[in-house]
Every structure is written in C-alpha cells, then in structure tokens.
Amino acid sequence: VVWFCVLGFSVSIYDVTSRSISLRWPKFSGAASYRVTATAVNAVGHSVLVHLSDVTLKTTLTSLIPNTIYAVQAEAIDKNGIILAETQIMQSTAPDIPVIDQAYSKLSNSITVEWRAVPGATGYLLTAQDGDSFIETVVKNSPGTMTGLKPATLYRITIRSINSGGKSQPSPFRKAKTVLAAPILSVSSPSCDSIAVSWKAVPMAAGFSVSLMRSDGLGRMLKENTTNTSLIFTNLDPGTLYTIKAYAWNANGIPGDDFTYNQRTSPNAPVDVKVAFNSGALRAVVSWMPTEGALTYSVSVTASSGLLKWRCNTSSASCITPSLQCSSEYYVSVTAYNDAGASKPTDAVSLKTIPCAPVNISIEEDEPGHLLVSWSSVSFGHYYVVFVKSDDGLEVHCNTSCTQCHFQSDCGFTYFISVFAYNKAGQSPLGDVFNYTTAPCCPSDFRAVFVSSDTVRVTWAPVRGADLYETRAAAWGTVVLCNDTATACTLSALQCNTPYNITVYSLSEARGSNTSCTPKYVATAPCSPEIKNVSKEGLSAINVQWQSDNEEATYVVTARGEAGFWHCTTTGHSCTLTDLPCGSAFSVSAIARSPAGQSLPSYSVPLETAPCCPNDLILTPVTQSITNISWSVGMGAQTYVTTLESPKGQAKCHTLQNHCLLGCITCGTNYTVSLKAISETGLTSSCTYQGYSSSACCPSGVKLYRLSSNGIRVFWRASGDMINYKTDLRGSKGNFTCTPSTGLSHCDITEIPCGDVYTVVVAPVTDQGPKPTPCPKKIYS
C-alpha cells in the first residue's frame, strides 16, 4: 500500500461521542469528491466508509464501537477517480453511555448520584439542570455529588462518561429535589434556667424540629416539634452550656439540613457576699462564692442616696473598692455574667464607713491655765477622743460622747490638739491637727540703761514661749514700741527730757502678748535744738538761731564742710559763725548739753557761702566785632555772667565754662568789665575788673593799584580823623611794611619781587604800638 500525503491537505476532529466521530478538512484544489474511512484498530472487519461530493468539507462517522481506537483516513479524488491527496489520523471513541441508578439529596445545596461503572471511562460529567441554568461537576467514579445547588429545588440530572477520546452522550435523565435549608437560629438565655430559640420561616417547610442537650452529655435531651418559629426551653441548669439542633421538614416529612448552636444559660446570682472594711484606707474588700458558669462579676457600690458611686468588673471572686467617703452608708451588690447575660443582683449588703474627722474645732483659754476644746458632731460618730500633746512631749487625752473637753495649761507652751471620732467601723481619718500656744511667760529682772536723749537700751533674760519681745515706753499719752526676737531692745524714738514708763512684754505669733509684766521708769536727756533760721551777717559771718524748751542747757553750733569746721557756744538761742571761706558748702547742726546728758544733734541745715570771684580775667579780640574773654575758676561757682558795657551798647554772655565769645563789640570804644559768679543753688558774687578798650576801627574801601612791574599803591578810607594806619604786604619771597604820614590815606610799596602772590592788610596803629587787629585781607598777584 502506498500512502500519499500532499502538502496542505489535513483532517481535524471536532467532536467525539461513544458511537460517532465528527471531522472536517479544507477544500483541496482539483478534487471532485472526498472519501472518508474509519477502521477499528482492535476489531477485525469493522469499518465505516463515507463518500462525499466536493462541496462537502465535513462529516460524522456513526455506528462506531464505544471506547475503540479508529484509524480515520480521508482522500481527495478527482473526476477521473484518481486520488489526489490523502491523510490519516488515529482517534478513540468515547466510553459507553452510563445509566443512573438513583439520585437523591441529603443537604440542601447538593444532590448525590449513583451509577454503574462504564468500561474505559476515566471520569464522569454530572449535570444538574434547573430551567435554563445548570451546574456541571466532574467526578472519578460513583457515587458523585454536585454542590452549589439551591435548597428545595427540582433538578434534571444526567451523566456522561469521559475518556481521552471525549464524552459520551448524556444518559437518560433522572429528577431529584434538594432538601429544605436549615433554619437560622437566634438563641438567648432570658433567665438563668431558660433558653429561648427563634428563627425565620424556611420556604416550603411544613414544620420544625428543635432539640436541646447539655454539651457535656449529662442529663436527657429535650426535643420539640412545632410549626411556629420560636420555642422556650425551661427548667434548665444555670450557667450551663447547651447544644441546640434544629431542622425543617417538608410536606412529605423529609427532613432538611440541621443547624447546630451552642448556648450557655445565664448564671445564678452569687451567694455568701461578704464585705470587709479597711478603716485606714477607707476601702472595702467585697468577696463571694463563685457561681457555676459565670465568666465575670460586677460589683456595684451605691450610696444611700441611690447614686451609683463605683462599679468593679472582675473575673475573680473578690474586688477592692477605691477610697470611700467617710460618714457614709453604702449598699453593695454583686451580679454574675457570662456570654448569655447577667444574673439577678444579690441582695444589697449595707456598709457603714468610719466617721469623718470632726470639723469646726475651736480652742479657747476660757481662763488662764484652762483650755476648752470643742467641735461639731459627726454623722455615724458614736464617741470622740481628744489628744493634747505639749511641745515638751507630754500627752494627755479625753474620751467623751459629748463635743467638748477641758484641759490644764501652762504659760509659754504650744499644745498640738487632734480630735478623732469612732464607730464600729473604726477610727476616723486624721483631721487637721491644731496647735494652740498659751501666752508666753513674763520677762523678769529687765534693765533699762539711758543711752542718749531719745534712746534707752533695755535688756532681759529669755522666757519660755516667747517668739518676739515688745518693749513699750509710755509717757503723757504717747507710746513708743520696739519689737525684736532678741532679749535686748533700744528705744530710740523717745521724747527728750521726759520721764517714761517702760515695760517689756513677751509675745508669741499664736497668742500675742502677756500683759502682766512690771514697768520701770527712766527719764531722757535734753531735747535736740531745732534750727529755725540761718542768715548772713557779712561776707564771712553767718548767724544761726534755734528753739529749745530747756533753759538749763548749753548749746554748741557746728558748721562742717570740706574746708574744715567752725563752731560757737552759747546758753541763749542764737550764735554767729565767723571767718567762713567763700565758695564752700557746710552742714550746720546744734546740740544741747545738760546734767541729764547730751541731746542728739539737731537736724543739719545746709549752708553755702557765695562763690569766689575769679582772680584772673583776660580779653582777646577775635575779629573787629568779636572779643574772647576768659577767666580762672571761681571756687563754688557753677555758671558765670560776663558783661562789657559802654554808652554805645552792652555785650553779655552766660556760660558754664570759664570762657566765652562776646559779639557786637564796637571798635575804638572803652568798656566797663564785670562778672557774676553763680553757685549751683543760685548764690551770686558780683566781681569787677579793669576797663577794656576795643581795638581801633579798620579802614574801609581798601584798593590796590600797580605802580610799576615791582611797585604797588594801597588806598583806603580812614574810619577816624586821628587814626594812623600801616600796610603789611606778605608773600613767599618776603614781607614788606609801609606806614604813611599822619592824615594820609594811601601808601606806596616799591621794590617788591615780581611773580609772587601777596596778602595785603591795612590796620590802624595805636599809641600802645602795633596791636593785632583782625582787619580784612586783600590778595595781590
């Protein structure tokens, strides 16, 4: 046999069943017909032949043997019957069609199918169809289960066998219906011995079955059938875990899926609740017996007013409260909890706390040596104890059901007092600790020593309880006080020449003064004089007047300053200080002396003598109308006023310096020179000096004319008939001077070097010789 294979002619298989093979091929050029032959490889004499026209390019070979390998040959034949091309392919048919024995549903989302095995099948395709929708599942062998189905739904079930060749045709269908869906339970425990179960209606359900049993397997199972959607199981064990199962059945009594739920009953209320109170911390320990099935406990503490004060959540069987309020009554109850809910709260246990510390404590010394302590009554306080401890360590106490106690006391002691209230719960907290200091003891054997006219020094021995001492000097309705922590005091503000009643009192910050001390009498020295007036009696003499009421005293007046000191003595009321220097500052004071002692100095009175006149005064012309005047420093002077005065006018300058410029000076004029030296406080000394003559007037209209290449003529207008002038010519090559005869107003200067720049000045000549006069300059080249 010769096989021809022409390029471009091939066969492809597009469908295979148990008894058929479908194939196609492309059109071959020149072919008038096609012939297809399928020959079983392992079955002798079984073949199928199909002859087709040139327009048919596909065919299905039928009546084949299931699960058999065929050699499929395709030939392209021309119109003369000659084979133009041929090709061959090997293909196995699918296994035989399986037959469903039974199909049933045990779960609402699945159907299980059973069938007999088909030879050669490597798998099976299950199909469940509901109207236009279907679900396919591939399984290895029987039985097979399809999932993902809808509850209570009728399905058409078919099955196909599968091998490497393909799938068989569908089997005859069987109908099967999924069972009912399970009811979804909502479970709760409304009380410690009951469980309530409810659910939503299940479509197509005719009734429901609900069973309940302890999860630990103890006890009997409770089962209820109902057409309702709720049930309540009662008489259960508190705090116990139960397993609940429920399912629905249809009209035929077929049960659906079941739903399992674990639910615990709520716990019983705790028992044997005990409250132990710690009075020191104002806390209570609450304990109880554990309750079956309880996971946590809640302790509530409620005030007698009904207001919840505190709550504790715990998994143990005890709880410690925070600090509670004293003098209060609380009610304590405990509730048990688990995931099912809460038990009933226990009966409230009353808790009365310790009393609060007493308040409004008052301490008074109702009479010397006796202390009375009183306070306000306290709620829940049955009796009181007062502790009194002195600062030397001795302690006494008083136990009473009243609200006051009496104690003995001594002077100069500090007593620390605390009051406690008591009841069955214990002692109240420590309240405020009060201290009470009795009046300090009185100083004894004090001495008063005269120091000066208004000063007495008093000393004494220290006494117990005294924080401070007050020395009091009283006379004629006036009182002088001296306070000090030391045991000595100097009274320095007493009235002079006065007898005083002096007493030393001991004081404490808490109790004040002990007023029972014995006074002593001391007389002071003469009064200080009071300077009434200080007046000048001459250039260097000052009269001082004062006032004093002591006719027996001798007075000394003293003036002190940097220049030294001066004094005078008298028994009268005035005194003159002489030979005081100028420009000096003094402090003047007076004292009085008598047999009783010497007075304090009077208040000092400042005294200033007039400033000194400067010794030297120099006047220097600056310009024709400006003169500089300078002088030496005058002792005590701060500012100066200089004046130049003439019938033609006055020039004046007021300055802090020792020089100034005076303007508006008239030339050729005699001036009177005066100066005033003024101190810082305004004292003035008028000083006169020798007169001053201003410089002669400069000429006007000065003009220059050239005489020759080496000569110059200078013209001017004289300012007066009797004034002579001279001409100065100054240059780098020499200086030249020309003085004309009296009465002439020009001057010639010859034989001067050419090619130079000269400064020309025409100035008056006085009897005193050449005197520098600032006359204007001319430039000549």
Side-chain angles (χ1 to χ4, degrees):
V1 177
V2 180
W3 297 86
F4 295 94
C5 181
V6 179
L7 184 64
F9 185 67
S10 61
V11 173
S12 62
I13 306 297
Y14 68 88
D15 188 30
V16 177
T17 67
S18 302
R19 298 182 181 277
S20 66
I21 297 175
S22 298
L23 63 157
R24 62 168 67 91
W25 57 90
K27 184 175 179 63
F28 193 81
S29 177
S33 62
Y34 300 95
R35 184 170 56 222
V36 180
T37 305
T39 304
V41 175
N42 298 323
V44 178
H46 188 277
S47 63
V48 176
L49 175 65
V50 178
H51 201 110
L52 304 167
S53 66
D54 64 336
V55 298
T56 304
L57 300 178
K58 64 179 180 178
T59 186
T60 298
L61 303 175
T62 59
S63 301
L64 303 181
I65 301 172
N67 193 34
T68 301
I69 297 175
Y70 283 88
V72 180
Q73 180 175 328
E75 300 169 318
I77 304 172
D78 64 6
K79 60 184 179 179
N80 297 319
I82 298 174
I83 299 173
L84 299 177
E86 64 180 353
T87 184
Q88 181 176 303
I89 190 172
M90 305 299 289
Q91 176 64 48
S92 173
T93 56
D96 206 354
I97 300 171
V99 176
I100 298 175
D101 291 337
Q102 62 176 335
Y104 53 88
S105 173
K106 289 186 176 181
L107 298 175
S108 61
N109 67 340
S110 68
I111 291 178
T112 300
V113 183
E114 295 180 2
W115 65 92
R116 291 186 298 275
V118 176
T122 58
Y124 300 89
L125 176 65
L126 301 177
T127 303
Q129 186 173 5
D130 170 28
D132 294 332
S133 66
F134 62 90
I135 292 177
E136 293 183 336
T137 302
V138 176
V139 298
K140 290 289 185 180
N141 44 42
S142 178
T145 300
M146 292 176 288
T147 60
L149 306 181
K150 295 182 288 187
T153 302
L154 185 64
Y155 286 93
R156 290 166 58 96
I157 309 299
T158 59
I159 184 171
R160 295 184 182 193
S161 58
I162 304 172
N163 68 2
S164 59
K167 301 189 291 284
S168 71
Q169 290 90 346
S171 68
F173 69 86
R174 282 285 188 99
K175 290 184 178 181
K177 189 174 185 180
T178 53
V179 299
L180 299 178
I184 305 302
L185 303 181
S186 295
V187 185
S188 64
S189 176
S191 64
C192 64
D193 63 347
S194 65
I195 290 178
V197 185
S198 62
W199 58 90
K200 292 183 180 179
V202 177
M204 303 180 68
F208 302 93
S209 178
V210 183
S211 61
L212 178 143
M213 187 174 183
R214 284 178 61 124
S215 297
D216 56 9
L218 301 177
R220 61 186 181 87
M221 183 178 69
L222 303 178
K223 186 174 182 180
E224 295 285 344
N225 293 330
T226 181
T227 57
N228 296 325
T229 57
S230 63
L231 276 175
I232 296 180
F233 293 93
T234 59
N235 298 321
L236 305 180
D237 298 327
T240 302
L241 184 65
Y242 284 88
T243 300
I244 300 102
K245 286 188 178 182
Y247 63 86
W249 68 79
N250 59 17
N252 297 323
I254 299 174
D257 291 349
D258 59 11
F259 184 93
T260 302
Y261 191 92
N262 290 326
Q263 174 66 45
R264 190 181 299 274
T265 52
S266 57
N268 249 333
V271 296
D272 197 18
V273 177
K274 296 180 180 179
V275 180
F277 185 72
N278 182 345
S279 62
L282 270 176
R283 294 183 175 184
V285 178
V286 184
S287 60
W288 56 91
M289 291 295 294
T291 300
E292 178 69 29
L295 301 179
T296 60
Y297 300 91
S298 177
V299 180
S300 62
V301 178
T302 306
S304 57
S305 61
L307 182 65
L308 178 65
K309 289 295 184 180
W310 177 77
R311 186 183 297 277
C312 164
N313 296 320
T314 179
S315 58
S316 64
S318 66
C319 218
I320 300 176
T321 69
S323 293
L324 304 175
Q325 290 183 350
C326 55
S327 289
S328 299
E329 184 175 11
Y330 295 92
Y331 299 101
V332 181
S333 62
V334 184
T335 304
Y337 290 85
N338 61 14
D339 49 8
S343 71
K344 291 182 180 180
T346 62
D347 293 336
V349 177
S350 175
L351 168 63
K352 290 182 179 180
T353 61
I354 59 175
C356 293
V359 295
N360 298 327
I361 298 174
S362 66
I363 305 165
E364 58 181 331
E365 202 169 357
D366 50 358
E367 60 181 84
H370 291 84
L371 292 181
L372 173 63
V373 182
S374 58
W375 57 91
S376 298
S377 61
V378 179
S379 298
F380 300 106
H382 296 166
Y383 64 96
Y384 306 91
V385 177
V386 183
F387 294 91
V388 178
K389 184 176 183 179
S390 61
D391 51 10
D392 62 355
L394 180 64
E395 184 178 71
V396 295
H397 71 276
C398 164
N399 191 332
T400 179
S401 59
C402 301
T403 57
Q404 65 179 19
C405 270
H406 291 271
F407 295 92
Q408 295 290 329
S409 62
D410 292 322
C411 68
F413 276 98
T414 297
Y415 294 94
F416 299 94
I417 300 167
S418 55
V419 183
F420 293 90
Y422 291 82
N423 62 13
K424 292 182 179 179
Q427 175 185 288
S428 69
L430 175 63
D432 294 333
V433 177
F434 291 85
N435 61 70
Y436 184 88
T437 302
T438 56
C441 298
C442 184
S444 59
D445 298 330
F446 73 90
R447 295 189 305 154
V449 179
F450 174 75
V451 177
S452 66
S453 61
D454 61 353
T455 304
V456 172
R457 180 170 177 79
V458 183
T459 59
W460 58 92
V463 295
R464 188 181 61 214
D467 299 321
L468 184 71
Y469 298 95
E470 179 182 88
T471 305
R472 181 186 298 256
W476 310 111
T478 62
V479 177
V480 177
L481 300 178
C482 170
N483 294 327
D484 204 329
T485 56
T487 58
C489 192
T490 299
L491 298 169
S492 58
L494 305 179
Q495 294 291 330
C496 55
N497 199 30
T498 303
Y500 274 92
N501 186 355
I502 298 178
T503 310
V504 179
Y505 299 97
S506 55
L507 295 89
S508 67
E509 293 183 3
R511 286 292 301 145
S513 173
N514 189 333
T515 60
S516 62
C517 298
T518 304
K520 288 190 177 183
Y521 295 92
V522 176
T524 57
C527 298
S528 299
E530 181 183 359
I531 297 177
K532 290 295 186 179
N533 186 41
V534 177
S535 60
K536 291 183 179 180
E537 290 193 349
L539 293 178
S540 61
I542 298 296
N543 180 260
V544 181
Q545 296 178 348
W546 60 86
Q547 178 181 337
S548 177
D549 57 357
N550 195 327
E551 299 295 335
E552 299 178 357
T554 300
Y555 300 92
V556 179
V557 179
T558 304
R560 288 182 174 84
E562 292 183 359
F565 70 93
W566 283 256
H567 68 271
C568 62
T569 302
T570 183
T571 56
H573 292 85
S574 66
C575 189
T576 300
L577 298 170
T578 58
D579 299 326
L580 298 177
C582 63
S584 300
F586 297 94
S587 176
V588 180
S589 63
I591 61 172
R593 294 172 179 170
S594 72
Q598 179 175 297
S599 72
L600 294 173
S602 68
Y603 293 118
S604 295
V605 176
L607 172 64
E608 181 183 1
T609 57
C612 300
C613 288
N615 293 327
D616 300 318
L617 186 139
I618 301 173
L619 292 95
T620 305
V622 178
T623 66
Q624 188 169 284
S625 63
I626 298 175
T627 297
N628 181 59
I629 181 169
S630 61
W631 54 91
S632 60
V633 175
M635 179 68 71
Q638 184 186 51
T639 61
Y640 304 90
V641 178
T642 58
T643 305
L644 297 183
E645 192 166 5
S646 72
K648 295 182 180 181
Q650 184 187 70
K652 198 172 189 178
C653 170
H654 194 179
T655 179
L656 288 166
Q657 310 297 327
N658 61 341
H659 60 83
C660 70
L661 292 175
L662 293 174
C664 301
I665 301 299
T666 304
C667 57
T669 303
N670 292 326
Y671 284 91
T672 300
V673 181
S674 63
L675 179 144
K676 288 184 179 180
I678 306 171
S679 70
E680 184 178 0
T681 60
L683 294 178
T684 303
S685 293
S686 297
C687 311
T688 57
Y689 297 90
Q690 185 179 355
Y692 169 70
S693 295
S694 60
S695 61
C697 297
C698 293
S700 61
V702 177
K703 295 181 180 179
L704 308 178
Y705 297 94
R706 179 184 299 171
L707 294 178
S708 62
S709 61
N710 59 352
I712 184 173
R713 171 167 285 183
V714 182
F715 280 94
W716 62 84
R717 274 195 310 274
S719 59
D721 296 336
M722 301 303 293
I723 301 177
N724 293 328
Y725 298 91
K726 74 170 183 174
T727 301
D728 286 331
L729 186 70
R730 298 181 182 276
S732 62
K733 296 181 179 181
N735 299 328
F736 303 92
T737 301
C738 171
T739 303
S741 301
T742 303
L744 294 181
S745 58
H746 69 273
C747 188
D748 295 335
I749 302 173
T750 59
E751 303 298 329
I752 61 176
C754 61
D756 198 1
V757 177
Y758 294 92
T759 300
V760 181
V761 178
V762 181
V765 179
T766 63
D767 295 340
Q768 290 79 17
K771 187 175 182 180
T773 304
C775 293
K777 300 176 181 179
K778 293 285 187 176
I779 303 300
Y780 175 71
S781 176

